[in-house]
Amino acid sequence: MTAAQNTARMAESVKDAAIAAFLVAVLGFFFFALRTDIGTGGLDLTYRWGLWLIAIAITFGVRLALNLFVFKAAKPITSGIKITVPSGVTSVVGRFLGPVLLIVALCLPFILMALFPNRDRQFIDLAILIMTYVMLGWGLNIVVGLAGLLDLGYVAFYAVGAYSFALLAQYFEIGFWTALPLAGLLAAFWGIILGYPVLRLRGDYLAIVTLAFGEIIRVVLLNWYEFTGGPDGISGIPKPSFFGLEFSRTGGFADFFGLDYDTIHRFIYLYYIILVLALITNFVTLRLRKLPIGRAWEALREDEIACRSLGINTTNTKLTAFSIGAMFAGFAGSFFATRQGFISPESFTFLESAIILAIVVLGGLGSQVGVVIASVVMIGGIEILRNLGFLKEIFGPDFEPTQYRMLIFGLAMVLIMVWKPRGIISSRNPSAVYKERKKISSDMVAQGEGH
Amino acid sequence: METAMKTTSSHNWDHNVVLSVEHLTMRFGGLVAVNDLSFNVGRGDITALIGPNGAGKTTVFNCVTGFYKPTEGRIVMRHGAGFQAEKIEALTRTGRQYDDDGDDRVFLLERMPDFEISKRAKVARTFQNIRLFGGMTALENLLVAQHNPLMIASSMTIGGIFNLPGYRKARAEAIDFAAYWLEKTGLIDRADDPAADLPYGAQRRLEIARAMCIRPHLLCLDEPAAGLNPRESTELNELLQYIRQDHDTSILLIEHDMGVVMQISDHVVVLDYGQKIADGSAESVRNDPKVISAYLGVDEDEVEAVEETIDQAIREAEEHEPDSDKGGKS
């Protein structure tokens, strides 16, 4: 490239950066430069020219740097930029990602205790929360990812599981380990009852009606005061025991094994319970995918009419997907109840369904590893954004970083969907192989009903 | 051609019937798509259902395969030989859907839901606009077609989860059976490719292979030659001949390509405006003035005049271009 061209490009870049800075100046004038506070007898107007100028300067500098060093052009290239990874690397990553994640998950509490001795409880608690969402994501993946039925009311089954255990414990004094299978069965049963009328619907109607059913369950829990305690919720839900040993100060787990009593034992124990539950979900899902029922789910997602022409009872096949998905939500729900010790209908709003669905969609429909990555990013990301204290150093003590949490989070989601429209892991593994296993690109895979 | 062998008995479809459609009527609101249609499909025959666009051919197909419930009429599928008239009458009176005692099973298709028709009565079908599972491999497509036997082999999934030997064996057999049909349709090299990746002709063949994987007694093909080039069309004819000879499967097909119809059909049924206008061997139908008039869209007595005009036009065209291609007439 000649010097003349370089100079021309430099000039173009500076001009482009100046335009961007001007736009920020105009837009930012009302957001940064002016500030109103409620004062005596009206609003007080204060000017923050410094902040405004800093924003303009940052825009100019970053835009110029991007133009010169990243895009290597006078203007940003908005198309054609792809983050390409050599194919050898992806296949190695693909092969080892699952086992590595499993090993990390198995050792996680001890890694956290070693790395953050002061905040280990908080981090293990976060790990438990993430793992719960991983399990819910895997459960919903059966319904949405494999069978292609868009279920916007998945949280209803989570609620059924949680309330099953809470009510069984309250009225019959049943412990966690007995209530766990019962909660799963009850949720599956509700899945069948709700599914039977709903699954005749197709497309958007299915999505709307599942949403309505999710809300109905919550509203019933909220208003049936005599039975469920309504908005007061249910408290005093028993903690799980370790083969009959309580995690209490005396005469419990710590005494039996000769350890010093520490509340962290119970957190670690809860973590391993949810890890095992999640791994069971994963194992069953992976097995089911290779069985005729799983193949029928995927075929149903691809083309329901062709399925019927091949002798598949589509109603029963959809119901099995719906009820097995519901069962895992029921397990997760009863775990949630025992972890919290207190549940109320507030925990089971539509937002929960939306988060679980977002995990499945971001991860890539039908992908198990994708769900894990998406859960860590979404749930862990939200939590990390709570700790944005360092931004105060930059924007001054008035800046409240937690207010920008959902904004940053939403932006991240948009970016992921622009970069990978079919989710993070967007290829499908065939369920049976004749000679050579080939990944199927997501462009060919249908998404099913209601997408 | 093997039609010569069949001439010993008069018409197969008159005495050895696999499917009989009796007084079938299908109304959509005020529109009568099929009106009092009766015809038989002979066992081991290739039967073609032809007619101009909108004649009601696909409607008949959808009634036979259970995707529509007929307004009136009876559709009987037989697995055993002969008419079994008494058994069918008795079954009709009981209100049951089928009688599957012994080998002489009979099914009243108009009473059965679509998936049962495929599962029990063993009637397979393909679609006019190909309906494959695009995101699944060719092999998986054929395994989905073997869903019901595999479900039983996996003891309704429970045995499958624990990977019991009984299921493992059934699975290996299912893959072998799928591989057999992939071989027959020339798709074995593409077994692990997604169906949506295959070229059009291969997709048509795969859909036939998938239908054959339910081990049907009757195979219904909705325009199998549509969009195929002449070579693929010939291969399709060979495949259909093979299916009917070696697999004890009767074929009912809708086709617009008269070359295919005349070459391979033993029996042709012609529909126009939802009514049967001709029924017989390919040869007899070809010369039926009613059929010709339906296809040309003119009255019966005008047919000769129109044909005369067409012949003259062709002669004139040939005189102008004496060395135009020879394969052009059909």
Side-chain angles (χ1 to χ4, degrees):
Chain A
M1 203 177 277
T2 63
Q5 271 176 320
N6 260 338
T7 322
R9 206 184 71 193
M10 183 71 192
E12 281 288 309
S13 303
V14 173
K15 195 174 145 196
D16 178 67
I19 292 171
F22 175 71
L23 284 176
V24 169
V26 172
L27 291 173
F29 182 74
F30 299 100
F31 296 109
F32 294 126
L34 304 179
R35 183 188 166 96
T36 51
D37 294 296
I38 296 168
T40 46
L43 292 173
D44 282 346
L45 186 65
T46 47
Y47 299 97
R48 299 185 294 181
W49 300 114
L51 189 65
W52 185 57
L53 289 174
I54 288 171
I56 295 169
I58 287 176
T59 312
F60 182 80
V62 170
R63 180 83 170 202
L64 188 61
L66 276 175
N67 284 351
L68 290 180
F69 302 112
V70 178
F71 304 121
K72 295 198 167 62
K75 283 197 169 70
I77 304 160
T78 48
S79 63
I81 291 191
K82 281 199 184 114
I83 299 168
T84 46
V85 184
S87 61
V89 175
T90 44
S91 74
V92 169
V93 167
R95 201 171 316 135
F96 292 110
L97 191 57
V100 167
L101 281 178
L102 179 64
I103 291 168
V104 169
L106 283 174
C107 314
L108 192 65
F110 301 102
I111 297 174
L112 290 175
M113 279 163 76
L115 287 180
F116 308 99
N118 297 324
R119 300 177 69 186
D120 51 0
R121 205 155 306 157
Q122 185 197 347
F123 281 118
I124 292 176
D125 204 40
L126 178 59
I128 293 172
L129 188 68
I130 291 174
M131 206 50 92
T132 314
Y133 279 96
V134 169
M135 178 166 175
L136 287 168
W138 278 339
L140 186 63
N141 212 355
I142 295 176
V143 185
V144 181
L146 294 184
L149 305 164
L150 185 56
D151 181 359
L152 294 180
Y154 191 63
V155 77
F157 306 119
Y158 189 42
V160 167
Y163 268 87
S164 301
F165 172 43
L167 292 170
L168 282 170
Q170 194 179 17
Y171 289 102
F172 301 106
E173 298 191 340
I174 287 178
F176 174 70
W177 291 110
T178 325
L180 183 69
L182 287 176
L185 282 179
L186 277 169
F189 175 68
W190 273 104
I192 291 173
I193 289 184
L194 299 188
Y196 203 76
V198 165
L199 294 178
R200 287 158 199 277
L201 300 170
R202 311 188 58 162
D204 305 344
Y205 304 99
L206 174 73
I208 293 167
V209 175
T210 51
L211 170 67
F213 266 122
E215 285 299 286
I216 285 172
I217 296 255
R218 190 177 65 85
V219 171
V220 167
L221 292 175
L222 199 59
N223 289 292
W224 196 357
Y225 192 83
E226 303 78 45
F227 185 56
T228 64
D232 301 345
I234 300 173
S235 54
I237 301 167
K239 300 283 173 203
S241 61
F242 181 78
F243 296 102
L245 294 172
E246 302 288 334
F247 287 85
S248 52
R249 193 167 284 280
T250 51
F253 177 83
D255 275 1
F256 188 83
F257 288 98
L259 301 166
D260 291 335
Y261 175 75
D262 192 342
T263 47
I264 195 120
H265 293 160
R266 195 173 69 228
F267 283 93
I268 295 174
Y269 182 51
L270 283 172
Y271 175 78
Y272 280 110
I273 291 177
I274 189 65
L275 180 63
V276 168
L277 286 175
L279 288 179
I280 290 172
T281 312
N282 185 34
F283 171 77
V284 171
T285 312
L286 287 180
R287 286 283 333 148
L288 287 177
R289 258 206 74 205
K290 294 184 191 251
L291 290 178
I293 186 73
R295 233 175 343 249
W297 289 339
E298 292 202 80
L300 205 63
R301 178 190 67 201
E302 298 282 331
D303 193 326
E304 185 176 341
I305 289 177
C307 277
R308 294 216 302 267
S309 84
L310 297 173
I312 295 173
N313 185 339
T314 49
T315 313
N316 285 358
T317 308
K318 284 180 185 177
L319 273 182
T320 50
F322 218 63
S323 59
I324 291 176
M327 182 180 75
F328 288 124
F331 290 148
S334 73
F335 173 81
F336 176 75
T338 197
R339 179 182 87 108
Q340 298 286 89
F342 165 78
I343 52 168
S344 72
E346 254 175 65
S347 311
F348 308 105
T349 54
F350 171 67
L351 184 67
E352 290 296 308
S353 287
I355 288 178
I356 303 165
L357 188 68
I359 286 174
V360 173
V361 172
L362 276 185
L365 292 173
S367 161
Q368 299 291 95
V369 174
V371 165
V372 178
I373 298 172
S375 303
V376 172
V377 169
M378 293 221 14
I379 308 302
I382 291 179
E383 291 302 314
I384 286 171
L385 290 176
R386 279 188 208 279
N387 304 316
L388 289 176
F390 65 91
L391 285 181
K392 277 193 181 174
E393 316 275 310
I394 304 170
F395 293 103
D398 290 343
F399 184 76
E400 194 55 63
T402 46
Q403 289 178 351
Y404 294 83
R405 189 163 65 99
M406 293 319 262
L407 185 72
I408 295 172
F409 182 65
L411 197 66
M413 274 179 71
V414 170
L415 286 179
I416 291 179
M417 287 335 265
V418 168
W419 173 47
K420 286 245 168 187
R422 295 292 294 260
I424 297 167
I425 309 274
S426 54
S427 62
R428 179 182 172 270
N429 246 330
S431 67
V433 179
Y434 183 66
K435 269 204 194 81
E436 183 195 353
R437 180 174 294 277
K438 295 176 187 168
K439 288 235 156 117
I440 298 171
S441 143
S442 59
D443 315 337
M444 288 166 197
V445 180
Q447 288 178 316
E449 299 285 343
H451 291 277
Chain B
M1 252 176 93
E2 52 295 313
T3 37
M5 297 188 295
K6 289 194 164 59
T7 48
T8 46
S9 61
S10 59
H11 289 312
N12 201 24
W13 58 89
D14 284 335
H15 58 85
N16 189 7
V17 180
V18 64
L19 176 86
S20 50
V21 174
E22 298 165 15
H23 304 290
L24 177 72
T25 299
M26 183 75 214
R27 290 194 203 96
F28 297 103
L31 178 82
V32 185
V34 178
N35 191 9
D36 196 24
L37 172 72
S38 300
F39 69 92
N40 290 337
V41 175
R43 188 176 303 281
D45 279 355
I46 294 181
T47 307
L49 194 60
I50 65 170
N53 287 333
K57 304 180 297 289
T58 302
T59 308
V60 173
F61 249 52
N62 283 337
C63 288
V64 169
T65 51
F67 282 81
Y68 294 160
K69 287 286 152 242
T71 322
E72 282 163 36
R74 185 167 72 175
I75 306 168
V76 185
M77 177 78 193
R78 300 172 183 81
H79 284 184
F83 266 108
Q84 305 176 58
E86 279 174 31
K87 196 173 179 180
I88 290 165
E89 286 308 322
L91 179 63
T92 308
R93 278 193 301 274
T94 59
R96 285 171 54 220
Q97 294 179 340
Y98 50 85
D99 182 346
D100 58 355
D101 290 340
D103 286 337
D104 295 342
R105 293 182 284 268
V106 288
F107 304 85
L108 298 180
L109 301 188
E110 82 280 3
R111 295 180 180 177
M112 296 169 68
D114 43 17
F115 69 92
E116 293 267 342
I117 288 177
S118 164
K119 184 178 166 185
R120 292 182 200 278
K122 296 288 176 196
V123 178
R125 74 168 293 178
T126 65
F127 295 87
Q128 198 171 342
N129 44 343
I130 306 171
R131 284 185 173 274
L132 286 168
F133 306 123
M136 304 173 85
T137 65
L139 177 71
E140 283 179 293
N141 269 273
L142 303 199
L143 290 179
V144 171
Q146 302 178 60
H147 176 77
N148 288 313
L150 279 174
M151 274 305 269
I152 293 166
S154 70
S155 28
M156 294 308 171
T157 304
I158 310 290
I161 285 192
F162 298 106
N163 213 4
L164 298 181
Y167 171 68
R168 280 210 299 270
K169 186 160 162 282
R171 184 171 180 275
E173 281 168 6
I175 291 180
D176 285 346
F177 189 63
Y180 167 81
W181 276 109
L182 287 172
E183 199 97 55
K184 283 291 162 221
T185 48
L187 295 168
I188 193 72
D189 295 333
R190 311 289 309 260
D192 292 319
D193 286 331
D197 233 3
L198 300 176
Y200 190 80
Q203 292 194 0
R204 283 248 175 245
R205 291 204 302 282
L206 182 61
E207 210 188 12
I208 295 175
R210 188 179 69 179
M212 286 311 292
C213 277
I214 75 163
R215 300 169 201 256
H217 284 241
L218 176 67
L219 176 64
C220 299
L221 305 171
D222 199 342
E223 299 198 21
L228 299 189
N229 65 33
R231 194 173 59 82
E232 288 173 325
S233 209
T234 317
E235 283 170 4
L236 175 76
N237 286 358
E238 284 163 10
L239 177 65
L240 296 187
Q241 296 284 11
Y242 172 78
I243 286 173
R244 103 30 202 279
Q245 273 167 26
D246 287 29
H247 282 275
D248 200 21
T249 301
S250 319
I251 296 174
L252 173 65
L253 59 91
I254 293 177
E255 192 47 75
H256 277 297
D257 185 339
M258 283 304 138
V260 174
V261 170
M262 293 304 161
Q263 250 173 40
I264 64 169
S265 315
D266 306 302
H267 177 197
V268 179
V269 178
V270 191
L271 290 189
D272 193 21
Y273 294 112
Q275 275 169 322
K276 186 166 84 173
I277 56 169
D279 184 347
S281 67
E283 198 58 36
S284 71
V285 164
R286 191 211 301 260
N287 300 320
D288 193 323
K290 269 195 199 160
V291 177
I292 299 166
S293 72
Y295 267 88
L296 295 178
V298 293
D299 281 341
E300 238 173 276
D301 41 346
E302 293 171 27
V303 166
E304 270 180 44
V306 172
E307 280 187 332
E308 191 67 32
T309 327
I310 293 172
D311 285 348
Q312 205 178 335
I314 291 171
R315 273 198 301 278
E316 277 171 19
E318 278 172 353
E319 276 165 26
H320 281 291
E321 284 177 84
D323 46 24
S324 63
D325 72 317
K326 282 126 199 149
K329 57 177 176 181
S330 58

